[in-house]
Amino acid sequence: MLHTLQQFAATAFMQRATLFLNHVLAAENAAVERLRPHRGRCIRLQLTGWPALLPPLPELSFAVTPAGLVEWSGEGPVLPADLELTVDTSNPAGMVVQGLSGQRPPVAVTGDADLATDVSWLMDNLRWDVQDDLARLVGAGPAHELARIGGVLSAGLREAVSALGSLAARASNGPGPGPGTR
């Protein structure tokens, strides 16, 4: 029963994540224009080192649609990948810290060079326009103010994460020379 609940939750999560990804893609014409020529191609995200304590992830394969969006393959048959992106996920907390500090984790890419170029461009340039989505809900003025406050909080969080990372790096290198040592 637990396995069935985990599958159900993973499927629901992947469906929502795919909707969100398509929302971000559709908001940027250049993004869908880059993906359209690759319709029917399969992009697979391979997560290596996934911690055994966390629930297993479903297959992360996506087909590019004629509209330049993506469709999660779901629980269906695994399609051969035209492009495979491999990410080391053995340290999820470290990945979160990297993401909060604005860094992209290292990604190994194998497969079609043209598709890889376009997907790399998407990873480097595509961002969620939170302010635009907020404006649809609360209006342009309040959305601008909320985005400004969010930007300040985000910058503070990035600074704190960076400072903690520096402290952790110094701590792992051991204590430096003590007073009076040369």
Side-chain angles (χ1 to χ4, degrees):
M1 172 139 168
L2 179 61
H3 181 67
T4 305
L5 286 174
Q6 286 177 338
Q7 280 182 310
F8 178 74
T11 298
F13 173 79
M14 286 307 301
Q15 290 169 341
R16 270 62 176 186
T18 303
L19 285 172
F20 175 74
L21 179 58
N22 282 330
H23 171 74
V24 173
L25 285 167
E28 185 62 52
N29 284 336
V32 293
E33 290 304 319
R34 283 186 171 267
L35 283 178
R36 270 192 188 122
H38 304 290
R39 68 180 166 271
R41 314 289 300 276
C42 179
I43 302 167
R44 179 171 297 124
L45 181 60
Q46 196 72 15
L47 304 179
T48 61
W50 186 253
L53 293 175
L54 296 176
L57 292 175
E59 177 69 33
L60 300 174
S61 292
F62 301 88
V64 178
T65 69
L69 301 174
V70 295
E71 181 176 53
W72 177 54
S73 66
E75 302 298 323
V78 177
L79 303 170
D82 296 294
L83 181 68
E84 191 162 301
L85 308 170
T86 305
V87 180
D88 177 14
T89 58
S90 57
N91 183 356
M95 290 183 69
V96 169
V97 168
Q98 271 187 320
L100 289 174
S101 64
Q103 298 173 10
R104 182 173 79 174
V107 178
V109 179
T110 56
D112 181 78
D114 290 335
L115 181 55
T117 298
D118 289 332
V119 169
S120 180
W121 183 90
L122 292 173
M123 289 189 297
D124 289 340
N125 295 289
L126 199 59
R127 299 290 177 267
W128 177 29
D129 189 347
V130 179
Q131 183 175 337
D132 188 49
D133 283 348
L134 280 173
R136 287 188 212 129
L137 294 173
V138 297
H144 176 73
E145 191 59 23
L146 287 169
R148 186 189 67 75
I149 292 168
V152 169
L153 292 173
S154 176
L157 185 59
R158 273 194 299 276
E159 261 184 60
V161 166
S162 177
L164 284 173
S166 295
L167 284 172
R170 283 196 301 232
S172 68
N173 290 335
T181 59
R182 297 180 190 212

